[in-house]
Amino acid sequence: MADDRKIDEFSGVETTGHNWDGIEELDNPMPKWWINIFYATVIWGFIYMMFYPAYPLISSYTKGFLETSERTELAIELEAVKSSRAIFVAKLDAATLEEVRNDTDLFNFALAGGRSAFSVNCSQCHGSGAQGSFGYPNLNDDEWLWGGEIEQISYSITHGARNTDDDDALLSDMPAFLRDEILSADEIKDVANHVLKISSQEHDQAAAARGTVLFEENCAACHGEDGSGLSDMGAPALNNGIWLYSGNLDTIVETVSNSRAGVMPAWGGKLDSATIKQLAIYVHSLGGGQ
Amino acid sequence: MTDRGAPPAPEATAVEHFDVEAVNKRESRSLYVATKKIHPKRVKGTFRTLKWWIMGLTLGVYYISPWLRWERAGSAPDQAILIDFVNQRFYFFFIELWPQEVYYIAGLLIMSGIGLFLITSMIGRAWCGYFCPQTVWTDLFLVVERAIEGDRSARIRLDNAPNSVQKAFKRIIKHTIWLIIALLTGGAWVFYFADAPTLFIELFTLQASSVAYGTVAVLTFLTYALGGLMREQVCIYMCPWPRIQAVMMDEESATVTYREARGEPRAPYKKGDSWDNRGHCVDCKACIAACPTGIDIRDGQQLECITCALCIDACDTVMKKIGQLPGLIDYDSLANIDRKAKGQPSEMKIIRPRTVFYFTAWVLAGLIMLVTILWRPDLDINVLRDRNPLFTLQSNGSISNGFTVKILNKVHSIRTFAISVSGIDGMTINVIGASGTGPSYKPLVSVNADQLGTFRMVLNAPKGALSADTTDIQFLIKDISSESSTDYDSVFRGPKK
């Protein structure tokens, strides 16, 4: 692409000097109106800069005569959305959870709102799909520490667990059997083998047999004789494949030795009652609600 | 087109000569060019008549189409052609399209594209010369201009005349009529997007939406500016088609051509002059005067030429006057001109590999469209499986998978569907918000007329029912009243085996 401007023989127009495989580009003049439109856009640019936010200053920026701000516009739009939802929110507030379940429109509104509120407030611990993780319960399954009925879920969200903000917070206090010197390390291993046994996992038969008695003496009061748990006490079932803190021998030993005390915030003071209702309905609908 | 019979007897004593130059003449090119105003002269003839008919047809289609009614069942609109953005539907007589079927629009565009290629390879830029809205509206605006300011010479006189009340009056009348036409054009556009009679009343009672008024305003301005003020500048500088058309044409494509062999050497002619040793072109420049883009067709093929064929009419009129055969400027192909120059028989090759290819592709695209339109299902299902979590272990050892099922009911009445899923023994379905469960339970869901229904459901496979981490399953929905059904293949995920 040599810079070789010359007059094109055929048209008499100067070329740009650009040559692609023998094809040359003519430097034809632009029409005057085209240039004028270009100038007009420049002038328009200056007008725009005067009326709209344009230039950064040291600690601020030029605001423009119209003083528009996308923050204000967003706030107005959000306000509009809020007011358009007001009828539903009021209805939701007044309705009992059972009434909501029976009203299709209200139920769908609650589900959509619940999903959105879940993403904002709950997904950090429970995961975006409410699938949970180590120490944070999976909300899709049908095992519930504190009960899976919609009112129970609502209570759990409102008051949380083991937090210091809410006097009505859910509280279960499993002893740290080793640290509090209730059981010895060997005894704990036996109990753990018993738990492996009732959850249908591989285990040491002799240890499990020894652990059975220890389990009845120390654990059955909360977890039940067969290990099926007791949601009134916040005691999880131990006889199935669902584990909050993993179900292998080492983790069970660790759990029994030092106890666990997962905390959930009380959302009652942070979210309004309609949002908590929506959350409860959403979580209940995930598949494990009772 | 090449044989037009015997020449008529000369009827005029002298041929009128026009003082006009081609705007793209070599001498008139400079760095930044001021637009030279073009004053196309009125012509009469075959092609002008054809263009009047096409103008009437295209304007008629544009202005009348939105007012056609078409009875539809239920709450669907009764407007024959309607692009309903609010409800996301497109109606065209018996056809009704959902946003999911936007590929029909793509098919239509493909057909238009290939059709344009086909026409261009056969008879050049017929689109530009006869059908393009820019050409049609410019023509319409010229009719107004001629009616008020007179034909070419009168308009040039008026342009050069000093400012006067009369001049201002003519200008004001002209621009007012232009603006009214522009307003009607911009106004007609919005009727395609809403119920035309309703919107018509709303527009006049100031109740229409600001979008409607904005669209009318923008299109009014564009029609006025492009058709009245910009005219040929749009074709020459703004439109990409003049650049693209070159690759569709070849030497066999018919196009508006000056028959140089017959016309040259050109020279002025007075009655009684001998025709020996000279061409038939009398250099009257009637062709340039008639040209809406202001070029000289005798310079050969040019980007500016929209092949409106008005120069043919202009030249034929002159030829008749001087007692020569018409067709000094005519539709012809470059190859045919060569053939005639070599004494070979004249022949227009319309059927060539290129045109056959374009035609086949066009017909094929049309057939595919037709078949898919005729066999368009009135029921559709989409299944999205939850990816987070992939599966959930329940306390009794069973495995759950979550799904979102979307059912498209394309009929104008409410329908109830039975949902069933097959592929795993003992699998249960739980539609969230609906009651009932169990292995033989088939949940019923209703989808409103012409709507999309979204349902979340949890499938549960009993303990031990899964033999692999992925199991194929099939959703089946059945209209309980008409037995029409559709299915969707999905998978059920479980823990690694």
Side-chain angles (χ1 to χ4, degrees):
Chain A
M1 212 170 71
D3 190 24
D4 180 20
R5 294 173 79 92
K6 60 173 192 235
I7 302 294
D8 173 59
E9 260 178 52
F10 181 76
S11 62
V13 177
E14 194 178 25
T15 69
T16 56
H18 303 163
N19 186 325
W20 291 273
D21 297 338
I23 298 172
E24 288 177 75
E25 186 188 4
L26 299 184
D27 193 7
N28 267 314
M30 282 206 278
K32 200 58 172 258
W33 58 262
W34 194 302
I35 310 286
N36 287 341
I37 287 177
F38 171 68
Y39 292 142
T41 58
V42 173
I43 294 165
W44 172 254
F46 279 110
I47 295 171
Y48 193 92
M49 280 188 275
M50 283 193 284
F51 282 90
Y52 284 92
Y55 280 105
L57 304 173
I58 288 167
S59 61
S60 176
Y61 57 92
T62 56
K63 303 250 184 339
F65 296 143
L66 293 179
E67 306 228 332
T68 52
S69 146
E70 292 194 359
R71 274 169 193 275
T72 347
E73 277 170 28
L74 178 68
I76 293 166
E77 279 170 28
L78 286 179
E79 204 53 50
V81 170
K82 217 171 167 184
S83 66
S84 76
R85 287 181 187 156
I87 311 166
F88 277 112
V89 173
K91 237 167 122 181
L92 195 65
D93 237 350
T96 65
L97 288 165
E98 204 50 46
E99 282 167 356
V100 177
R101 288 207 69 190
N102 295 330
D103 182 334
T104 316
D105 282 345
L106 205 53
F107 180 70
N108 285 330
F109 174 74
L111 273 190
R115 180 179 295 122
S116 149
F118 189 91
S119 300
V120 176
N121 300 294
C122 317
S123 63
Q124 291 84 347
C125 295
H126 288 286
S128 58
Q131 76 276 26
S133 65
F134 189 86
Y136 302 103
N138 182 346
L139 306 175
N140 291 276
D141 61 37
D142 62 347
E143 180 171 334
W144 299 90
L145 283 172
W146 299 97
E149 281 174 32
I150 205 158
E151 286 79 10
Q152 294 171 316
I153 295 170
S154 174
Y155 187 94
S156 302
I157 297 169
T158 310
H159 301 288
R162 296 188 198 89
N163 57 62
T164 51
D165 308 333
D166 193 319
D167 293 338
D168 294 328
L170 299 164
L171 184 69
S172 64
D173 210 356
M174 173 165 155
F177 285 89
L178 183 69
R179 204 171 60 212
D180 296 347
E181 295 174 4
I182 303 168
L183 295 173
S184 71
D186 286 342
E187 286 172 322
I188 286 171
K189 211 161 197 179
D190 293 344
V191 169
N193 268 292
H194 173 77
V195 173
L196 289 179
K197 183 184 163 194
I198 59 173
S199 59
S200 318
Q201 301 186 73
E202 276 182 36
H203 57 276
D204 180 336
Q205 302 235 355
R210 289 193 299 273
T212 305
V213 185
L214 290 165
F215 185 87
E216 279 168 11
E217 287 169 359
N218 295 286
C219 317
C222 295
H223 289 286
E225 297 231 347
D226 57 352
S228 57
L230 194 60
S231 63
D232 287 345
M233 309 287 290
L238 304 174
N239 59 355
N240 60 31
I242 301 170
W243 298 94
L244 183 51
Y245 298 94
S246 164
N248 60 48
L249 182 64
D250 289 348
T251 316
I252 295 172
V253 167
E254 165 64 24
T255 304
V256 178
S257 301
N258 293 316
S259 174
R260 307 276 184 182
V263 176
M264 170 161 158
W267 293 96
K270 302 187 178 83
L271 302 174
D272 57 49
S273 62
T275 309
I276 288 177
K277 241 177 216 173
Q278 289 180 319
L279 278 171
I281 288 163
Y282 171 69
V283 170
H284 186 264
S285 80
L286 285 171
Q290 289 159 353
Chain B
M1 280 180 217
T2 46
D3 183 17
R4 292 185 176 217
E11 53 187 49
T13 46
V15 168
E16 190 186 355
H17 285 249
F18 300 97
D19 181 25
V20 59
E21 294 289 343
V23 291
N24 60 348
K25 219 170 163 271
R26 182 185 301 200
E27 294 77 36
S28 45
R29 293 180 182 176
S30 69
L31 195 52
Y32 297 115
V33 281
T35 308
K36 276 198 179 175
K37 194 163 180 196
I38 296 162
H39 304 85
K41 186 174 166 56
R42 188 190 165 109
V43 293
K44 278 183 183 154
T46 321
F47 292 102
R48 182 62 265 183
T49 310
L50 177 65
K51 274 170 71 76
W52 287 135
W53 281 105
I54 293 174
M55 185 201 230
L57 177 78
T58 47
L59 290 177
V61 166
Y62 176 74
Y63 288 114
I64 295 167
S65 295
W67 296 90
L68 301 175
R69 309 306 284 178
W70 187 266
E71 202 75 23
R72 287 193 188 88
S75 59
D78 290 335
Q79 186 162 321
I81 303 171
L82 179 67
I83 301 158
D84 189 348
F85 277 124
V86 180
N87 300 307
Q88 306 193 336
R89 296 287 182 277
F90 171 65
Y91 301 96
F92 186 85
F93 295 94
F94 63 96
I95 301 169
E96 180 190 335
L97 297 182
W98 288 43
Q100 288 87 340
E101 296 159 315
V102 73
Y103 47 80
Y104 286 120
I105 311 288
L108 211 59
L109 289 175
I110 289 170
M111 279 191 77
S112 311
I114 299 174
L116 211 52
F117 298 171
L118 174 66
I119 297 292
T120 306
S121 66
M122 290 198 302
I123 49 173
R125 288 168 65 182
W127 166 258
C128 298
Y130 300 90
F131 293 97
C132 177
Q134 176 63 25
T135 297
V136 172
W137 262 271
T138 301
D139 234 14
L140 181 63
F141 276 45
L142 262 171
V143 170
V144 174
E145 191 169 83
R146 277 199 200 103
I148 291 159
E149 298 182 352
D151 205 2
R152 178 181 159 78
S153 44
R155 295 207 301 275
I156 295 174
R157 265 201 310 281
L158 187 71
D159 280 358
N160 295 333
N163 290 331
S164 67
V165 175
Q166 200 199 10
K167 183 174 176 178
F169 182 69
K170 279 187 173 172
R171 291 282 202 245
I172 289 168
I173 295 280
K174 179 179 82 173
H175 287 279
T176 308
I177 297 177
W178 277 2
L179 277 168
I180 291 169
I181 294 173
L183 188 67
L184 292 176
T185 308
W189 180 260
V190 293
F191 293 144
Y192 285 88
F193 300 88
D195 185 61
T198 316
L199 182 61
F200 186 77
I201 294 165
E202 284 177 354
L203 279 173
F204 280 96
T205 51
L206 299 180
Q207 284 171 340
S209 69
S210 54
V211 177
Y213 287 115
T215 309
V216 172
V218 168
L219 289 174
T220 301
F221 169 75
L222 284 177
T223 311
Y224 171 73
L226 299 185
L229 310 177
M230 300 290 290
R231 295 186 182 174
E232 80 290 343
Q233 298 290 311
V234 176
C235 308
I236 298 171
Y237 292 102
M238 293 181 182
C239 181
W241 185 233
R243 277 83 182 165
I244 298 168
Q245 50 112 20
V247 294
M248 260 74 83
M249 291 177 72
D250 55 29
E251 63 278 9
E252 293 287 358
S253 306
T255 186
V256 176
T257 341
Y258 167 62
R259 295 203 169 106
E260 211 171 319
R262 177 182 157 194
E264 300 296 325
R266 62 184 84 159
Y269 173 76
K270 272 204 288 290
K271 195 179 181 188
D273 284 2
S274 161
W275 288 104
D276 298 337
N277 301 321
R278 58 159 294 163
H280 287 169
C281 177
V282 295
D283 207 13
C284 62
K285 295 182 181 173
C287 52
I288 309 177
C291 181
T293 67
I295 59 163
D296 187 345
I297 191 67
R298 297 172 302 171
D299 290 348
Q301 289 287 293
Q302 287 156 81
L303 174 131
E304 290 90 341
C305 177
I306 59 170
T307 69
C308 65
L310 292 181
C311 51
I312 300 180
D313 283 346
C315 189
D316 282 353
T317 310
V318 172
M319 287 297 120
K320 197 177 171 198
K321 276 183 189 165
I322 60 174
Q324 289 293 339
L325 278 171
L328 177 58
I329 302 172
D330 204 351
Y331 268 103
D332 210 342
S333 71
L334 298 179
N336 200 36
I337 287 175
D338 265 4
R339 277 196 288 273
K340 277 187 277 192
K342 289 176 192 154
Q344 293 162 348
S346 164
E347 175 192 15
M348 295 303 286
K349 290 184 180 167
I350 295 293
I351 300 169
R352 312 190 298 278
R354 179 191 287 263
T355 56
V356 169
F357 173 78
Y358 285 146
F359 184 72
T360 314
W362 187 77
V363 168
L364 210 64
L367 281 178
I368 292 171
M369 289 269 291
L370 191 69
V371 167
T372 48
I373 287 263
L374 290 180
W375 269 266
R376 174 181 179 268
D378 60 10
L379 176 63
D380 208 350
I381 177 176
N382 275 305
V383 176
L384 309 163
R385 66 179 317 286
D386 285 2
R387 283 154 201 279
N388 192 9
L390 278 175
F391 60 88
T392 304
L393 173 70
Q394 301 294 355
S395 57
N396 64 2
S398 62
I399 307 288
S400 298
N401 275 202
F403 292 88
T404 302
V405 176
K406 298 189 175 206
I407 299 172
L408 286 70
N409 175 19
K410 297 180 187 174
V411 178
H412 298 303
S413 58
I414 186 167
R415 287 204 280 182
T416 305
F417 304 99
I419 302 179
S420 57
V421 188
S422 56
I424 296 169
D425 289 337
M427 182 161 57
T428 59
I429 311 176
N430 175 22
V431 179
I432 304 301
S435 50
T437 183
S440 61
Y441 167 71
K442 283 185 186 172
L444 296 179
V445 294
S446 291
V447 184
N448 281 335
D450 209 21
Q451 291 292 320
L452 168 84
T454 304
F455 306 94
R456 215 187 100 77
M457 48 193 73
V458 177
L459 304 188
N460 193 272
K463 188 176 184 178
L466 302 176
S467 54
D469 56 347
T470 311
T471 312
D472 291 332
I473 55 169
Q474 191 182 49
F475 285 79
L476 179 74
I477 52 167
K478 211 175 226 168
D479 184 341
I480 56 165
S481 52
S482 77
E483 286 301 302
S484 80
S485 67
T486 186
D487 53 33
Y488 194 98
D489 292 328
S490 187
V491 291
F492 193 96
R493 301 291 296 256
K496 280 229 180 330
K497 292 282 176 185

